[in-house]
């Protein structure tokens, strides 16, 4: 830093010149007295020294040699508390740890991730699943940086390939009725609420729902929001009028047993329904893959087909906007868009009306041909 006296300046004749140690950029600032300039230099020097000490201390505690496998284990032992999320994330990250677990986490490169993506594609995995696995890795690296285990995230600027939205075929009304008819009580409740309200089927939303969240008098449900960027802890979903008597009956039966959860198994809260759902599909004679989450897709699909507006539908499903619905249910919207275009009247009268083609009347058979035909038939007879 340097202080210069420049009497030709109209204001701030005492000028401080300095260079930023972080960016290398040159700066200057004028002051009216030498004392002000010196105090500024002293304060700026103290700030830079403190910043350097913080960085020096951070580097001292940063373990640049930590292996990726060790970093993953530390992350799961501290940062993840939900058992379902822990199980799913461990399953996905295992495939990356098998390839790069013995390598230092800080030395994972973008080329390594591109190689991993290519291998996963060759094994037949969808891009959506691959992106989930790479995203978990990037989350773990960010966590390592935040808690001083890594100096920086080597994949911070990596951009995942865009995945095409998967077009999910929801269960048909006939399939839903067959599954419902052979299911136990808690699966029937999931089918009812999943099909007619569209929540996320699992511990993040539907399995957290309590009877205290259900307002049968006003016909609304305060559905818990999943931790996916929602600002509110719950969203309000109106109850379909035909569903209110059914829920009232279920509420009265649970109230006698002092059961607080809407979805429960013998009074206990539910975490997973894989076994019960699979058994119900077998009893219903359904061989194709239908998951409980498909109930949410059934709600969206049939609502769109029924003419529901996208913005209110996205709000009821817990989406920030209608983009997810447009991407996931494009195959449903295509027919509606075509019908909308064709419904536009021909105001300019540019297109001729379609006329039914007229069939040409066949000429009558001459009498002599008819007589010859009769003679031929008589001969072969």
């Amino acid at each position: 830093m340097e202080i210069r006296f420049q009497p030709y300046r109209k204001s701030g004749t005492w000028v401080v010149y300095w260079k930023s140690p972080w960016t290398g950029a040159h700066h200057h600032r004028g002051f009216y007295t030498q004392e002000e300039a010196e105090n500024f230099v002293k304060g700026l020097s103290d700030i830079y020294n403190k910043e350097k000490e913080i960085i020096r201390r951070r580097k001292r505690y940063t373990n640049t040699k930590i292996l990726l496998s060790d970093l993953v284990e530390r992350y799961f032992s501290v940062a993840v508390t939900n058992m379902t999320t822990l199980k799913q994330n461990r399953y996905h990250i295992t495939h990356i740890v098998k390839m790069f677990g013995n390598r230092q986490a800080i030395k994972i490169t973008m080329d390594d991730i591109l190689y991993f993506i290519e291998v996963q594609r060759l094994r037949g995995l969808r891009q959506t699943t691959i992106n989930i696995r790479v995203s978990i890795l990037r989350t773990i690296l960010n966590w390592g940086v935040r808690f001083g285990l890594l100096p920086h995230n080597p994949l911070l600027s990596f951009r995942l390939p865009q995945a095409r939205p998967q077009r999910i075929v929801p269960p048909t009304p006939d399939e839903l009725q067959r599954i419902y008819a052979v299911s136990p009580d808690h699966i029937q409740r999931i089918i009812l609420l999943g099909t007619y309200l569209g929540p996320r089927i699992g511990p993040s939303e539907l399995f957290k729902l309590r009877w205290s969240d259900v307002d049968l008098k006003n016909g609304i449900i305060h559905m818990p929001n999943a931790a996916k960027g929602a600002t509110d802890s719950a969203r309000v979903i109106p109850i379909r009028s035909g569903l209110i008597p059914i829920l009232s009956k279920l509420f009265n039966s649970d109230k006698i047993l002092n059961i607080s959860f809407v979805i429960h198994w013998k009074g206990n809260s539910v975490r997973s329904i894989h076994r019960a759902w699979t058994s119900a599909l077998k009893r219903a004679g359904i061989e194709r893959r239908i998951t409980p989450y498909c109930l949410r897709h059934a709600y969206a699909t049939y609502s769109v087909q029924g003419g529901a507006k996208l913005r209110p539908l996205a709000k009821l499903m817990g989406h920030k906007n209608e983009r997810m619905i447009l991407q996931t249910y494009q195959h449903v919207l295509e027919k509606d868009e075509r019908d909308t275009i064709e419904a536009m009247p021909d105001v300019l009268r540019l297109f001729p009306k379609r006329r039914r083609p007229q069939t040409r009347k066949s000429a009558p058979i001459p009498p002599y041909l008819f007589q010859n035909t009769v003679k031929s038939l008589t001969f072969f007879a």
Side-chain angles (χ1 to χ4, degrees):
M1 295 183 188
E2 183 182 2
I3 301 176
R4 299 179 189 174
F5 178 69
Q6 298 176 348
Y8 54 85
R9 288 173 61 97
K10 293 183 179 180
S11 61
T13 54
W14 295 90
V15 184
V16 178
Y17 291 88
W18 77 94
K19 179 181 178 181
S20 172
W22 316 123
T23 63
H26 293 271
H27 304 276
H28 68 276
R29 182 175 176 181
F31 297 90
Y32 289 100
T33 63
Q34 183 179 3
E35 184 179 1
E36 290 178 348
E38 290 176 350
N39 290 335
F40 176 79
V41 170
K42 182 180 178 182
L44 194 62
S45 299
D46 292 342
I47 291 174
Y48 282 161
N49 291 333
K50 289 179 181 179
E51 288 178 347
K52 290 179 180 179
E53 179 60 27
I54 291 173
I55 294 175
R56 193 180 301 114
R57 210 165 45 235
R58 178 73 176 270
K59 288 183 177 180
R60 189 184 309 144
Y61 292 111
T62 300
N63 184 5
T64 57
K65 295 184 179 180
I66 186 171
L67 299 180
L68 179 61
S69 57
D70 296 335
L71 182 64
V72 169
E73 289 302 320
R74 294 186 66 171
Y75 170 77
F76 285 128
S77 63
V78 176
V80 184
T81 56
N82 187 298
M83 296 305 297
T84 303
T85 304
L86 177 64
K87 183 179 179 181
Q88 293 175 349
N89 288 1
R90 275 191 177 277
Y91 169 77
H92 285 300
I93 201 64
T94 298
H95 299 82
I96 296 180
V97 173
K98 286 181 179 179
M99 283 190 176
F100 312 114
N102 294 328
R103 188 180 301 182
Q104 295 178 11
I106 196 63
K107 293 185 178 180
I108 300 296
T109 64
M110 296 185 186
D111 288 337
D112 295 331
I113 301 305
L114 291 174
Y115 168 73
F116 172 78
I117 291 174
E118 187 64 27
V119 170
Q120 296 289 291
R121 285 174 178 170
L122 291 175
R123 293 178 180 177
L125 273 76
R126 297 193 305 268
Q127 189 63 50
T128 306
T129 304
I130 300 173
N131 289 355
I132 290 174
R133 295 177 177 178
V134 178
S135 297
I136 295 172
L137 172 62
R138 195 159 52 185
T139 300
I140 294 174
L141 294 174
N142 284 332
W143 177 84
V145 174
R146 188 163 60 252
F147 286 89
L149 300 175
L150 295 175
H152 65 274
N153 183 353
L155 303 180
L156 184 62
S157 59
F158 183 77
R159 294 293 176 266
L160 289 167
Q162 186 175 4
R164 292 183 178 180
Q166 183 184 5
R167 293 184 174 182
I168 299 174
V169 180
T172 64
D174 176 67
E175 289 174 332
L176 288 173
Q177 293 171 8
R178 287 161 56 188
I179 301 171
Y180 183 85
V182 298
S183 296
D185 177 70
H186 68 298
I187 300 297
Q188 288 184 344
R189 297 186 183 198
I190 291 172
I191 294 174
L192 280 174
L193 298 178
T195 304
Y196 290 119
L197 299 178
R200 294 178 174 89
I201 312 297
S204 63
E205 288 191 1
L206 184 57
F207 295 173
K208 290 169 60 177
L209 183 67
R210 296 175 180 265
W211 284 115
S212 58
D213 302 322
V214 182
D215 187 353
L216 294 173
K217 182 179 179 180
N218 295 314
I220 59 175
I221 286 180
H222 297 273
M223 183 64 66
N225 270 329
K228 294 191 174 184
T231 55
D232 300 325
S233 59
R235 63 184 183 275
V236 177
I237 302 178
I239 305 175
R240 190 186 182 98
S241 58
L243 193 59
I244 293 179
I246 301 175
L247 291 179
S248 299
K249 184 178 179 180
L250 296 175
F251 169 72
N252 293 330
S253 63
D254 287 352
K255 185 178 180 180
I256 297 174
L257 300 175
N258 197 22
I259 298 173
S260 60
F261 287 96
V262 178
I263 308 298
H264 63 87
W265 170 248
K266 296 182 179 179
N268 299 318
S269 60
V270 176
R271 300 293 302 176
S272 175
I273 60 169
H274 176 73
R275 185 177 300 177
W277 182 263
T278 304
S279 300
L281 290 180
K282 290 182 179 179
R283 288 193 296 269
I286 297 175
E287 297 182 355
R288 78 180 184 95
R289 185 175 181 267
I290 298 178
T291 64
Y293 205 86
C294 290
L295 301 174
R296 178 172 164 88
H297 291 283
Y299 169 78
T301 299
Y302 298 131
S303 295
V304 171
Q305 288 181 346
K309 295 182 179 180
L310 297 185
R311 185 175 293 275
L313 179 61
K315 183 179 179 181
L316 293 175
M317 295 184 69
H319 295 308
K320 291 183 179 180
N321 50 51
E322 54 267 39
R323 184 181 64 180
M324 181 66 71
I325 295 177
L326 289 170
Q327 290 178 347
T328 308
Y329 307 103
Q330 184 64 35
H331 59 295
V332 181
L333 298 172
E334 285 172 356
K335 181 180 181 299
D336 297 338
E337 291 170 355
R338 174 62 60 183
D339 295 340
T340 301
I341 292 298
E342 294 297 338
M344 169 67 180
D346 183 15
V347 294
L348 298 180
R349 303 184 182 279
L350 298 177
F351 312 114
K353 293 183 178 180
R354 293 184 179 182
R355 297 181 178 179
R356 296 181 62 182
Q358 297 181 354
T359 56
R360 292 183 60 184
K361 294 182 179 180
S362 56
I365 301 177
Y368 65 90
L369 286 180
F370 179 76
Q371 294 173 359
N372 293 339
T373 304
V374 172
K375 291 180 179 179
S376 300
L377 292 175
T378 305
F379 175 79
F380 283 105

